[in-house]
């Protein structure tokens, strides 16, 4: 990876926006697959005809679908990758808020600001990023959260 850097060098970037993902289109097929995987078949997600009659004007993505795409977004972003990782795990999220619905057919992307990067013990780093998921052409983001991951080197 060309943007692979040492964990201590990533730590020097705390307080800055470290990357942005590519745009990802939210299709009805993706929403339906998420509904199938989670058992959440609320009509605002999977019934375009009924959803047209709501304030959304059509189907919308599940908030948790948008949240679940953070891993894809960071992987396909220009964020620096920590070098020599043996394993990385999601540790959780703080302050997660779903601020605006993502209508099917819209595109979203993640913007990543590094809040914290600390070595918890030798070879184990914890990273916290403020993530804003933008909706193309809209002022209000779909979600914001503080995403925590741990890396083992």
């Amino acid at each position: 990876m060309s943007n692979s850097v040492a964990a201590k060098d990533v730590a020097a970037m705390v307080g800055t926006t470290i990357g942005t993902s590519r745009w990802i289109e939210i299709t009805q097929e993706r929403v339906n697959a998420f509904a199938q995987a989670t058992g959440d078949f609320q009509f605002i997600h999977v019934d375009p005809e009924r959803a047209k009659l709501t304030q959304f004007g059509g189907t919308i993505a599940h908030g948790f679908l948008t949240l679940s795409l953070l891993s894809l977004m960071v992987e396909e972003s220009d964020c620096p990758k920590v070098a020599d990782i043996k394993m990385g795990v999601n540790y959780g999220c703080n302050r997660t808020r779903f601020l605006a619905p993502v209508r099917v057919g819209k595109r979203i992307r993640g913007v990543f600001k590094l809040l914290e990067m600390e070595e918890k013990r030798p070879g184990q780093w914890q990273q916290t990023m403020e993530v804003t998921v933008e909706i193309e052409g809209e002022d209000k983001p779909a979600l914001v959260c503080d995403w925590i991951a741990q890396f083992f080197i």
Side-chain angles (χ1 to χ4, degrees):
M1 286 179 270
S2 60
N3 62 346
S4 184
V5 297
K8 65 178 178 51
D9 294 331
V10 174
M13 300 175 196
V14 166
T16 66
T17 298
I18 60 170
T20 302
S21 76
R22 69 172 177 87
W23 291 103
I24 299 169
E25 183 178 359
I26 300 302
T27 64
Q28 188 63 57
E29 292 77 20
R30 186 184 296 263
V31 171
N32 291 347
F34 190 82
Q36 191 69 40
T38 62
D40 182 350
F41 295 99
Q42 189 176 109
F43 79 93
I44 61 172
H45 305 303
V46 297
D47 186 338
E49 293 307 311
R50 277 184 70 194
K52 281 182 191 174
L53 303 175
T54 70
Q55 69 268 31
F56 305 121
T59 50
I60 61 171
H62 303 75
F64 287 121
L65 168 56
T66 304
L67 185 65
S68 74
L69 290 171
L70 295 186
S71 294
L72 174 62
M73 288 179 196
V74 78
E75 184 61 31
E76 296 186 350
S77 76
D78 56 355
C79 290
K81 307 294 188 245
V82 177
D84 302 319
I85 291 178
K86 293 179 184 149
M87 179 178 63
V89 295
N90 287 315
Y91 194 67
C93 292
N94 293 329
R95 204 183 57 85
T96 302
R97 299 291 181 268
F98 301 104
L99 301 175
V102 179
R103 289 168 179 80
V104 168
K106 285 288 195 168
R107 296 190 325 159
I108 60 174
R109 72 176 177 186
V111 178
F112 302 91
K113 179 180 179 181
L114 185 62
L115 299 179
E116 185 176 80
M117 181 74 171
E118 69 174 305
E119 193 169 21
K120 294 299 212 177
R121 60 181 60 97
Q124 180 183 351
W125 288 80
Q126 183 167 298
Q127 176 185 67
T128 304
M129 290 191 293
E130 177 186 85
V131 183
T132 302
V133 176
E134 299 176 334
I135 306 169
E136 189 175 36
E138 297 189 21
D139 294 330
K140 200 171 190 179
L143 74 82
V144 295
C145 75
D146 295 344
W147 182 23
I148 306 164
Q150 290 192 349
F151 303 108
F152 299 87
I153 300 172

